[in-house]
Amino acid sequence: KSSVQTIGEEQIQNPYTELLVLKGHQDIVRFLVQIDDCRFASAGDDGIVFLWNAQTGEKLFELHGHTHKITAIAPFSSSDVSEEKTHLIITASADRTVIVWDCTSGRQVQKVSCFHSTVKCLTVLQRLDVWLSGGSDLCVWNRKLDLLCKTSHLTDAGISALVELPKNCVAAAVGKELIIFRLSASNNGSEGWNVLEVKRLVDHQDNILSLVSVNDLTFATGSHIGELIVWDALDWTKQASECNFWDSSVHPDVQPEIKLSQSPNETSVQHLASDEECVFAAVGKGIYVYNLQMKRVIACQRTAHDSSVLHIEKLPNRQLISCSEDGSVRIWELREKQQLPAEPVPTGFFNMWGFGRANKQANQAAKKMQENTPMYFLELVGDLIGHSSAVQMFLYFGELGLATCSADHLIILWKDGERESSLRSLTLFQKLAHNGDLQLKL
């Protein structure tokens, strides 16, 4: 029997009681990116990019140009004050090309085919008006798709993820290593750029799967065997680290290595998100909330789903959304828990992130702090059942709802049923009033 928490049909706090199914893709839909307040793009293994209206579900454009699956996508809006704001998206594919698309016309702006390997990630540095592509090397491009500079060949594995850091730096995940690069403009007055490797961080024991920028001072990384490291974004020193996600303190004598060899994906950090106060981690089948100030996990759901959690985000309210390989999308509310003596905080979680492990006094101080700070729990308030296969990711559009994409080739727009019903009533009322069918009595 599954130990996953369930919720009945009466999901009082779940507003998503209506759904729109968007069809068009012929294969796994892996990516969704927001273009503006009401438009988004989808892409995946069929190599096609679709542009959608998040309010109506209308298909705006179908963009053909790639011959293989799409491996990365990023929005790139112009910030030029002198001209009207243009919304672009950049897509990379296993066909070793990168294409820039105009979201207003649906046309291909430019295409680059000079890559020696597949581009696995794209990052836009809006402030510098350049974008980066990561594969077997790191390339820096301007808006016109001129190659400004590139690194020498890194490894065959290549860069799997990028995150922007302060002071014109980026962190690139290359296997187990984290490489810090700095961009600098040429001194000779030309428009040339340089990209320099400034540091290699080799603290991870396994491949880095996820990167997230927390704020201007901090970023975090997660690896395949469950390591989570919090870094200083300015000097790239390690602030805290832990790899005891899976330790539920039930079997303290069982060595992690034994458990890992049985189920390596159980501890894999698939995705990280942050709201500046906390890091939200999708680890194996579970979700964890780590508070940066307290330096500990304040809430967790070890078996949030039946299969690996692929994506997690915090909503503007106190809710979290997670989606999984099991095809489900779940909404969680972070609630404060009354401290009970019968419910001690599990020591296996992060162990205060390794702070003062050898220091008895520090441990006592940590224990005292633990007793004086409230703990939280994650309550399941919504279970969105609609996809028949792994849900890859989602986009939250506020009052317009939620968009999810899946291996079942579908995109689903989840809508607030009460809001949609009110909008339909209002539209009908206005239509009747316009046609003169509605006699308004004063």
Side-chain angles (χ1 to χ4, degrees), residues 394-429:
F394 52 84
L395 278 182
Y396 176 67
F397 276 96
E399 62 178 14
L400 294 187
L402 188 75
T404 57
C405 66
S406 168
D408 62 12
H409 310 178
L410 300 177
I411 294 159
I412 294 180
L413 282 180
W414 305 85
K415 296 286 189 178
D416 181 332
E418 283 188 22
R419 180 179 181 273
E420 295 303 307
S421 180
S422 299
L423 288 173
R424 281 192 291 270
S425 299
L426 183 63
T427 304
L428 180 62
F429 183 86

Side-chain angles (χ1 to χ4, degrees), residues 191-220:
E191 289 188 13
W193 286 78
N194 295 315
V195 56
L196 300 169
E197 180 185 318
V198 289
K199 195 165 186 180
R200 287 200 179 212
L201 308 172
V202 291
D203 298 72
H204 278 290
Q205 302 301 307
D206 203 348
N207 288 344
I208 299 165
L209 299 184
S210 43
L211 286 173
V212 68
S213 175
V214 176
N215 51 43
D216 289 342
L217 303 173
T218 313
F219 71 102

Side-chain angles (χ1 to χ4, degrees), residues 10 20 25 41 67 79 81 93 152 171 199 218 224 231 238 267 284 303 306 333 342 368 406 409 424 429:
E10 285 293 315
L20 282 170
H25 283 284
T67 57
S79 50
V81 183
S93 167
S152 56
K199 195 165 186 180
T218 313
H224 183 65
W231 305 89
K238 189 162 65 169
T267 60
T303 48
D306 282 316
E333 187 148 309
K368 191 173 181 183
S406 168
H409 310 178
R424 281 192 291 270
F429 183 86

Side-chain angles (χ1 to χ4, degrees), residues 21-25 29 32 35-36 38-43 49-61 397 411 413:
V21 179
L22 312 186
K23 297 180 179 178
H25 283 284
V29 190
L32 299 174
I35 296 165
D36 54 27
C38 65
R39 290 183 299 166
F40 69 97
S42 63
V49 182
F50 288 93
L51 267 55
W52 308 91
N53 182 309
Q55 170 65 55
T56 63
E58 179 191 358
K59 186 195 296 177
L60 304 173
F61 293 108
F397 276 96
I411 294 159
L413 282 180

Side-chain angles (χ1 to χ4, degrees), residues 29-328:
V29 190
R30 297 189 187 273
F31 305 103
L32 299 174
V33 293
Q34 189 166 344
I35 296 165
D36 54 27
D37 290 342
C38 65
R39 290 183 299 166
F40 69 97
S42 63
D45 289 6
D46 58 7
I48 307 167
V49 182
F50 288 93
L51 267 55
W52 308 91
N53 182 309
Q55 170 65 55
T56 63
E58 179 191 358
K59 186 195 296 177
L60 304 173
F61 293 108
E62 190 171 325
L63 312 179
H64 293 265
H66 290 296
T67 57
H68 289 67
K69 70 178 182 180
I70 288 169
T71 52
I73 184 168
F76 191 8
S77 299
S78 73
S79 50
D80 193 340
V81 183
S82 63
E83 58 182 76
E84 193 177 334
K85 189 167 187 176
T86 56
H87 292 282
L88 307 172
I89 51 171
I90 312 167
T91 54
S93 167
D95 62 13
R96 298 187 180 184
T97 65
V98 167
I99 299 176
V100 177
W101 310 87
D102 186 316
C103 297
T104 306
S105 65
R107 289 180 182 166
Q108 187 174 302
V109 178
Q110 213 151 347
K111 185 173 186 175
V112 180
S113 310
C114 62
F115 296 98
H116 301 299
S117 66
T118 300
V119 171
K120 296 178 181 176
C121 50
L122 298 165
T123 296
V124 174
L125 306 185
Q126 201 77 45
R127 194 173 54 80
L128 300 177
D129 207 32
V130 299
W131 58 276
L132 314 178
S133 62
S136 58
D137 41 32
L138 181 70
C139 301
V140 183
W141 309 82
N142 65 11
R143 190 175 293 278
K144 298 172 185 173
L145 264 68
D146 299 321
L147 179 61
L148 303 177
C149 57
K150 62 184 285 190
T151 63
S152 56
H153 185 83
L154 295 166
T155 63
D156 290 334
I159 298 168
S160 58
L162 286 165
V163 69
E164 183 179 0
L165 301 179
K167 298 182 179 178
N168 297 351
C169 290
V170 291
V174 183
K176 300 176 187 179
E177 291 188 316
L178 202 58
I179 305 178
I180 309 295
F181 294 99
R182 178 177 279 122
L183 275 70
S184 60
S186 296
N187 297 325
N188 57 14
S190 69
E191 289 188 13
W193 286 78
N194 295 315
V195 56
L196 300 169
E197 180 185 318
V198 289
K199 195 165 186 180
R200 287 200 179 212
L201 308 172
V202 291
D203 298 72
H204 278 290
Q205 302 301 307
D206 203 348
N207 288 344
I208 299 165
L209 299 184
S210 43
L211 286 173
V212 68
S213 175
V214 176
N215 51 43
D216 289 342
L217 303 173
T218 313
F219 71 102
T221 55
S223 81
H224 183 65
I225 57 165
E227 304 160 299
L228 185 63
I229 299 180
V230 178
W231 305 89
D232 187 301
L234 298 174
D235 63 10
W236 319 304
T237 54
K238 189 162 65 169
Q239 290 186 342
S241 67
E242 183 56 57
C243 59
N244 281 344
F245 275 118
W246 60 88
D247 183 0
S248 61
S249 299
V250 178
H251 305 293
D253 298 325
V254 177
Q255 292 298 312
E257 287 76 16
I258 297 171
K259 194 168 183 182
L260 287 176
S261 64
Q262 291 171 350
S263 181
N265 288 330
E266 199 170 314
T267 60
S268 183
V269 183
Q270 297 291 346
H271 188 236
L272 294 172
S274 174
D275 68 350
E276 297 201 359
E277 287 181 27
C278 295
V279 172
F280 308 95
V283 187
K285 299 175 184 179
I287 54 177
Y288 298 78
V289 181
Y290 167 72
N291 185 284
L292 289 158
Q293 192 175 1
M294 296 182 197
K295 292 188 165 58
R296 65 187 175 97
V297 166
I298 58 168
C300 72
Q301 192 63 247
R302 290 191 189 93
T303 48
H305 293 263
D306 282 316
S307 301
S308 291
V309 182
L310 299 180
H311 198 82
I312 184 170
E313 292 290 346
K314 166 87 168 0
L315 301 191
N317 51 31
R318 295 183 67 80
Q319 291 184 337
L320 288 175
I321 297 184
S322 58
C323 65
S324 165
E325 283 181 348
D326 64 15
S328 67

